[in-house]
């Protein structure tokens, strides 16, 4: 498994991570098997959030972790906070503290390795966030911090007050969601792909040593469906299969290898299938050639100016 530096956290994280948003579709035995399969495949990073199934995902993850054949100290546990489901985004001091305490209780752990703020709160006060981060860091409840779905200016505003480095930004990114790549390739053009929706987030992240955590790495649109094996994308699937055959692996691994070929990128794989996470983890042993990476980009419907 390819290991990456998670931002400036000092943590060595697997390039493939397991996201547990849908884990409550399993029973305890199934959840335990999923965690063990991921760990056996070299995955040491597990991504949670307090809103996943109203906290039930964290609870089940914590129970499965206690049953698993590895210890809490063997892995990196991340969770996210900042969404009050269906009501608002909330980066207030009190909400962040309350959310972390709730996550720790549900997860059954003493600390989070990483806490991400989950989608930007338009009303956030940087000093208030800084106060919460300091309290959580000094108490040992959270070791590293980051954000999710934020642009560079929002990150800079947050950094104006917080003292800890921001180590990661979780963003939608896949072969069928390439906006942060497109705008960089189409600089100084007037076509649709030249439009920068993200403020140069890819380059910003590299400059500031923030890991991009790719969520929905196999989806197209906003949860419209999975592009792998979809008849809507015959050219892309043909190229995925061609490279899977060449590397003696599978399409899931090639789609993941495309992402981690982009420097500073980690894949958050949200599968609940133990066999599939093992297939995906094979990407950690694949480094696509530059032309192979571009060929997949073209097969997904993109072009060069």
């Amino acid at each position: 498994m390819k290991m990456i530096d998670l931002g400036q956290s000092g943590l060595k994280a697997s390039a493939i991570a397991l996201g547990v948003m849908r884990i409550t579709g399993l029973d305890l035995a199934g959840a335990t098997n999923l965690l063990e399969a991921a760990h056996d495949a070299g995955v040491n990073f597990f991504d949670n959030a307090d809103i996943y199934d109203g906290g039930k995902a964290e609870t089940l993850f914590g129970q499965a972790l206690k049953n698993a054949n590895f210890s809490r100290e063997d892995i990196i546990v991340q969770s996210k906070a900042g969404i009050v489901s269906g009501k608002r985004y909330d980066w207030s001091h009190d909400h962040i503290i309350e959310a972390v305490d709730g996550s720790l209780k549900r997860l059954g752990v003493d600390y989070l390795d990483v806490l991400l703020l989950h989608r930007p709160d338009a009303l956030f006060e940087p000093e208030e966030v800084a106060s919460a981060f300091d309290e959580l860091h000094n108490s040992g409840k959270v070791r590293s911090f980051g954000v999710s779905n934020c642009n560079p200016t929002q990150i800079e505003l947050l950094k104006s007050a917080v003292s800890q480095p921001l180590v990661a930004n979780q963003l939608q990114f896949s072969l069928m969601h390439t906006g942060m790549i497109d705008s960089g390739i189409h600089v100084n053009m007037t076509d649709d792909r030249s439009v920068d929706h993200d403020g140069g987030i890819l380059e910003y992240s590299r400059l500031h040593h923030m890991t991009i955590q790719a969520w929905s790495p196999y989806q197209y649109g906003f949860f419209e469906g999975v592009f792998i094996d979809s008849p809507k994308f015959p050219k892309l699937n043909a190229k995925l299969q061609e490279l899977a055959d060449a590397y003696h692996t599978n399409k899931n691994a090639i789609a993941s290898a495309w992402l981690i070929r982009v420097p500073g990128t980690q894949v958050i794989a949200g599968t609940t299938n133990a066999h599939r996470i093992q297939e995906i983890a094979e990407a950690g042993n694949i480094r696509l050639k530059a032309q192979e990476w571009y060929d997949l980009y073209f097969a997904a419907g993109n072009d060069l100016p």
Side-chain angles (χ1 to χ4, degrees):
M1 171 63 69
K2 176 183 177 181
M3 305 301 285
I4 64 170
D5 293 316
L6 190 76
Q8 300 178 69
S9 68
L11 295 169
K12 289 288 186 181
S14 53
I16 304 298
L18 180 67
V20 302
M21 183 173 73
R22 300 179 179 88
I23 198 173
T24 51
L26 304 173
D27 60 14
L28 178 56
T32 303
N33 183 54
L34 177 66
L35 268 58
E36 290 179 343
H39 187 259
D40 289 347
V43 173
N44 75 343
F45 195 101
F46 296 84
D47 174 64
N48 295 266
D50 61 348
I51 64 162
Y52 291 164
D53 202 2
K56 293 177 183 177
E58 286 186 324
T59 298
L60 182 56
F61 176 88
Q63 293 169 345
L65 178 58
K66 285 183 171 61
N67 288 351
N69 59 9
F70 56 88
S71 68
R72 191 273 174 255
E73 290 70 31
D74 293 332
I75 63 171
I76 298 168
V77 178
Q78 172 175 282
S79 196
K80 301 183 289 295
I83 297 179
V84 182
S85 185
K87 294 183 178 180
R88 66 184 186 279
Y89 300 149
D90 192 340
W91 287 13
S92 66
H93 169 277
D94 290 350
H95 179 76
I96 294 170
I97 297 297
E98 180 182 348
V100 169
D101 285 341
S103 289
L104 293 176
K105 182 177 181 180
R106 288 187 294 273
L107 291 165
V109 299
D110 296 325
Y111 65 93
L112 295 176
D113 293 286
V114 187
L115 171 71
L116 303 186
L117 295 181
H118 203 174
R119 293 201 175 274
D121 174 12
L123 305 179
F124 90 91
E125 298 286 352
E127 295 78 12
E128 201 170 339
V129 176
S131 176
F133 280 10
D134 286 343
E135 186 176 329
L136 292 168
H137 190 259
N138 293 338
S139 67
K141 293 180 179 180
V142 179
R143 297 187 171 181
S144 297
F145 301 86
V147 295
S148 180
N149 306 295
C150 285
N151 67 36
T153 306
Q154 292 163 335
I155 295 169
E156 284 297 308
L157 180 56
L158 184 57
K159 285 169 63 176
S160 71
V162 301
S163 56
Q164 298 83 9
L166 300 177
V167 304
N169 189 2
Q170 196 166 118
L171 299 160
Q172 186 175 6
F173 188 20
S174 77
L175 267 164
M176 292 303 302
H177 192 94
T178 56
M180 68 178 80
I181 298 288
D182 302 342
S183 60
I185 288 177
H186 289 252
V187 167
N188 201 38
M189 305 302 292
T190 58
D191 57 350
D192 290 344
R193 295 186 191 279
S194 69
V195 178
D196 182 359
H197 296 278
D198 310 303
I201 192 63
L202 177 62
E203 294 78 12
Y204 175 90
S205 300
R206 294 184 66 182
L207 279 169
H208 294 272
H209 307 289
M210 291 182 71
T211 296
I212 290 177
Q213 297 181 336
W215 61 264
S216 285
Y218 318 112
Q219 295 269 343
Y220 64 94
F222 189 71
F223 297 114
E224 289 181 43
V226 176
F227 60 80
I228 295 174
D229 291 330
S230 169
K232 293 182 178 181
F233 308 103
K235 188 174 180 180
L236 175 56
N237 276 282
K239 180 57 68 172
L240 287 168
Q241 188 63 61
E242 176 188 324
L243 290 171
D245 293 342
Y247 282 92
H248 306 289
T249 188
N250 59 87
K251 289 194 238 181
N252 289 296
I254 296 297
S256 305
W258 186 88
L259 284 166
I260 62 176
R261 185 65 170 80
V262 178
T265 302
Q266 181 185 39
V267 170
I268 306 294
T271 183
T272 58
N273 184 299
H275 177 67
R276 188 165 294 118
I277 190 61
Q278 292 177 322
E279 286 189 334
I280 292 167
E282 292 180 21
N285 299 315
I286 298 169
R287 179 176 171 83
L288 294 175
K289 297 174 184 176
Q291 191 59 60
E292 292 169 338
W293 187 92
Y294 274 95
D295 287 346
L296 282 166
Y297 182 71
F298 299 149
N302 301 299
D303 59 7
L304 300 182

